[in-house]
Amino acid sequence: MAGGAMVSTDGGRGKGYPARMTLYVFLTCVVASSGGLIFGYDVGVSGGVTSMDSFLLTFFPSVYKKEKQDRSTGIYCKFDSQLLTAFTSSLYVAALLTSFIASLVTDFFGRKWSMFRGGMAFILGAGINATADNLFMLILGRFLLGVGVGYAIQSVPIYLSEIAPPRRRGMLNIMFQLMVTIGILIANIINYFTNKIEGAWGWRVSLAFACVPAAIIAVGSLVLPETPNSLIERGHTEEAEATLRLIRGVDDISLEFRDLVAANKRCKEIRDPWSVIMERKYRPQLAMAILIPFFQQLTGINIIMFYAPLIYKAVGFSGQTSLVSTVIIGTVNVVATLISIITVDKVGRRGLLLHGGVQMLISQLIVGTLIMLKFGSTGEATDISKAYASCVLFFICVYIAAFAWSWGPLGWLIPSEILSLEIRSVGQCIAVSVNMFFTFVIAQIFLTALCHMKYGLFFFFAGWVVVMTVFVALFLPETKNIPIEEMSLLWKEHWFWSRFIKDEENTETGNLGRPRGGYSRVQVAAKVFSRNRV
Ligand code: BGC
């Protein structure tokens, strides 16, 4: 099981384990994180190139014509084209399908080989895209990029969490998201410059640049060490011990190593994990693995990530200015993710999600209203002032900041930390697939939905933000500072989820002696904390 052995039994705290982040591990993590860059670069590059005239003329002449000539169409339906959305969304179908294959490769051949395959598929896809002269090549290239993304998002987070000292695991998890946002920003900046290239081939440079992070991960994975967990899983115990010593930078790794071996043994004893996760007592974890990524996509974030340049052009920015706006948004995205890294363990997950939800709701309502007032339901408007367009941009930035310190990183962190060991691999696979599936759906239907729902689309996503914020308030327990192997206690004492877990039932932690009526959150945290100090 990929990731089945991805954590030790220490509860994510690393009691008595070497906690030092060695230079070797740091560099290894930097290389592996370029998997996040690959993902982010793809998210960022498609919106930019689809707003370039030369790109539209080459592959989507009908969309180009509609945009240029048919003034009566209004903004909402200007870019409505199933083929244009297929270009963006095909990547996510491929990533979704590949994530299942990747989880097998990650298990049987190791994490490194998944990363290598991801990098190679990506280089190939970028090459085909950059040299494409027909739509088939373009979509084929994009599909291969999706294969690369599928391998990368399946293997890199697992690799990072297995190689990192247990105490740095959470931080490295969000680092992956940070790399995603940096990838998006780099793509935005490159699009800005390539759009200026004379001769209508700038988009080729944008698409070709995807080779850079792909080459880093493909070449890097050849020299990266395999994780001790994967080595143990595949029977190379001595090599695993030597690798653990190398990455921890100390001689005495016996405690951690013993726990890794024990954790691995337990994983192997588990029968079909897919039927295990369906058991009633895992209902809260299964629900979170599905709902958290679902909600993340239903924030509507990717309509901005994929189609912002088109939206800006529609509301009156020139092609080049709309690309500058994308760079501004990309920068806000990176900075706000950094804020999340700093605050996540202080403010807590719920605090960030509740705050982020309210901020996203307000900004989405304002953006929807601004568009409604100016464009009404016909989508037609004259004399759009710079101030108006900048005001829309400002509130989109407010929305992006809220997403980037809440649902962006936490949409990935929470599923990975609430899953108990025996179901972690399948749970993670479900979370990744749900995320990719809804990324695909949103990418595919957005332009058509905009054409039909008009400004109402912003209110539609705002409605979902209300639903997810209420969900967080009622159903998501705070996981800050709770070691991952102790999470099951939180469900047991939760007002709603406790009904799925009988008192005598335990997942992996052993019963810590829950009093009638359950523990309070503080009691759980204190109990867990004292247990870990022993
Ligand atoms: C989401 C992506 C999104 C990105 C934006 C990620 O957490 O999964 O769909 O494009 O954040 O920063």
Side-chain angles (χ1 to χ4, degrees):
M1 270 190 309
M6 94 192 209
V7 289
S8 63
T9 51
D10 76 305
R13 283 240 159 148
K15 50 166 204 262
Y17 294 172
R20 201 153 61 93
M21 169 86 100
T22 58
L23 181 64
Y24 185 69
V25 164
F26 179 73
L27 293 178
T28 298
C29 290
V30 170
V31 174
S33 303
S34 44
L37 282 182
I38 291 183
F39 180 33
Y41 191 85
D42 269 319
V43 170
V45 85
S46 54
V49 293
T50 49
S51 76
M52 292 182 192
D53 287 350
S54 52
F55 179 84
L56 288 179
L57 254 176
T58 314
F59 299 107
F60 306 96
S62 58
V63 180
Y64 178 80
K65 250 200 219 140
K66 205 163 159 196
E67 183 201 353
K68 293 287 167 208
Q69 294 162 1
D70 190 358
R71 294 267 157 227
S72 62
T73 310
I75 61 161
Y76 301 126
C77 299
K78 245 184 184 173
F79 296 97
D80 179 19
S81 154
Q82 290 294 319
L83 279 179
L84 192 60
T85 49
F87 165 72
T88 302
S89 69
S90 52
L91 187 150
Y92 299 94
V93 189
L96 169 66
L97 300 176
T98 308
S99 67
F100 291 101
I101 302 167
S103 88
L104 297 176
V105 174
T106 308
D107 275 346
F108 294 113
F109 301 102
R111 291 44 170 155
K112 281 174 47 135
W113 291 111
S114 268
M115 291 194 260
F116 179 72
R117 285 172 181 223
M120 292 310 288
F122 211 81
I123 293 175
L124 200 63
I128 294 180
N129 262 351
T131 52
D133 48 22
N134 57 54
L135 200 56
F136 174 74
M137 278 177 84
L138 192 72
I139 305 239
L140 175 71
R142 190 93 180 138
F143 198 83
L144 281 168
L145 295 182
V147 172
V149 168
Y151 273 114
I153 54 172
Q154 160 69 22
S155 56
V156 173
I158 291 177
Y159 184 88
L160 289 175
S161 42
E162 290 180 346
I163 224 83
R167 280 185 214 184
R168 316 265 174 198
R169 195 170 288 137
M171 187 188 93
L172 277 166
N173 191 305
I174 302 193
M175 286 288 284
F176 183 74
Q177 168 71 11
L178 183 67
M179 293 303 248
V180 173
T181 60
I182 293 175
I184 297 175
L185 178 61
I186 294 175
N188 298 155
I189 295 172
I190 290 178
N191 280 337
Y192 172 77
F193 286 107
T194 57
N195 191 38
K196 289 183 177 175
I197 295 176
E198 304 266 319
W201 51 272
W203 58 269
R204 291 192 190 273
V205 181
S206 291
L207 296 179
F209 252 99
C211 284
V212 178
I216 298 178
I217 194 155
V219 177
S221 64
L222 294 177
V223 290
L224 292 181
E226 187 49 272
T227 69
N229 312 55
S230 170
L231 289 166
I232 297 172
E233 209 173 15
R234 290 177 296 123
H236 308 294
T237 318
E238 274 170 30
E239 202 185 324
E241 197 170 4
T243 307
L244 189 61
R245 201 162 279 130
L246 177 73
I247 60 179
R248 295 291 173 256
V250 290
D251 272 341
D252 184 14
I253 40 96
S254 50
L255 186 60
E256 185 174 2
F257 187 67
R258 201 194 54 209
D259 281 356
L260 285 180
V261 173
N264 196 266
K265 192 162 162 266
R266 277 174 84 141
C267 278
K268 290 213 162 121
E269 279 160 12
I270 292 164
R271 32 187 187 96
D272 175 20
W274 287 95
S275 55
V276 174
I277 202 169
M278 298 301 162
E279 286 172 18
R280 189 177 159 82
K281 66 178 172 179
Y282 294 113
R283 207 53 51 80
Q285 304 182 38
L286 178 64
M288 294 297 164
I290 295 172
L291 288 175
I292 298 283
F294 167 76
F295 283 143
Q296 189 206 51
Q297 288 307 313
L298 265 285
T299 55
I301 183 64
N302 281 324
I303 64 171
I304 304 293
M305 290 298 150
F306 297 148
Y307 301 116
L310 294 183
I311 297 176
Y312 294 139
K313 272 176 99 173
V315 297
F317 284 161
S318 72
Q320 202 57 12
T321 318
S322 82
L323 289 174
V324 176
S325 321
T326 322
V327 174
I328 297 173
I329 290 185
T331 311
V332 172
N333 196 15
V334 173
V335 174
T337 306
L338 281 169
I339 295 175
S340 186
I341 292 181
I342 298 164
T343 52
V344 70
D345 288 322
K346 298 191 186 92
V347 179
R349 284 65 165 151
R350 279 170 57 86
L352 287 177
L353 288 172
L354 294 174
H355 174 277
V358 173
Q359 188 170 321
M360 279 194 289
L361 174 65
I362 295 172
S363 44
Q364 267 169 332
L365 291 177
I366 295 179
V367 171
T369 309
L370 284 173
I371 293 185
M372 178 179 80
L373 293 177
K374 198 77 189 173
F375 294 92
S377 49
T378 59
E380 291 177 36
T382 43
D383 66 298
I384 304 154
S385 68
K386 258 204 169 133
Y388 163 82
S390 310
C391 197
V392 174
L393 174 63
F394 173 78
F395 284 104
I396 288 184
C397 287
V398 174
Y399 162 77
I400 294 290
F403 174 85
W405 59 55
S406 61
W407 282 93
L410 298 180
W412 293 103
L413 177 65
I414 293 174
S416 77
E417 69 179 6
I418 51 112
L419 292 163
S420 44
L421 184 67
E422 59 272 34
I423 52 161
R424 191 159 303 143
S425 178
V426 291
Q428 187 70 11
C429 186
I430 292 173
V432 168
S433 315
V434 171
N435 196 305
M436 288 300 106
F437 179 71
F438 284 99
T439 308
F440 159 73
V441 171
I442 304 256
Q444 186 58 36
I445 65 163
F446 170 66
L447 292 178
T448 307
L450 181 67
C451 185
H452 289 96
M453 294 172 73
K454 308 178 167 61
Y455 57 81
L457 193 59
F458 294 92
F459 301 136
F460 169 79
F461 285 116
W464 277 106
V465 170
V466 173
V467 174
M468 66 189 78
T469 308
V470 171
F471 175 85
V472 169
L474 296 179
F475 298 106
L476 185 75
E478 179 57 82
T479 50
K480 165 183 97 167
N481 291 336
I482 307 289
I484 45 185
E485 307 312 337
E486 311 283 356
M487 291 290 174
S488 52
L489 283 175
L490 286 184
W491 310 119
K492 275 189 171 187
E493 66 126 14
H494 190 271
W495 72 271
F496 178 77
W497 298 115
S498 56
R499 71 195 62 195
F500 293 96
I501 301 157
K502 289 197 223 103
D503 241 10
E504 69 278 13
E505 256 177 10
N506 245 317
T507 48
E508 65 192 61
T509 27
N511 199 332
L512 299 187
R514 176 176 178 259
R516 255 174 212 290
Y519 290 121
S520 71
R521 249 198 61 73
V522 175
Q523 280 174 309
V524 173
K527 196 161 184 72
V528 157
F529 182 68
S530 63
R531 235 177 85 127
N532 275 335
R533 303 234 333 182
V534 187

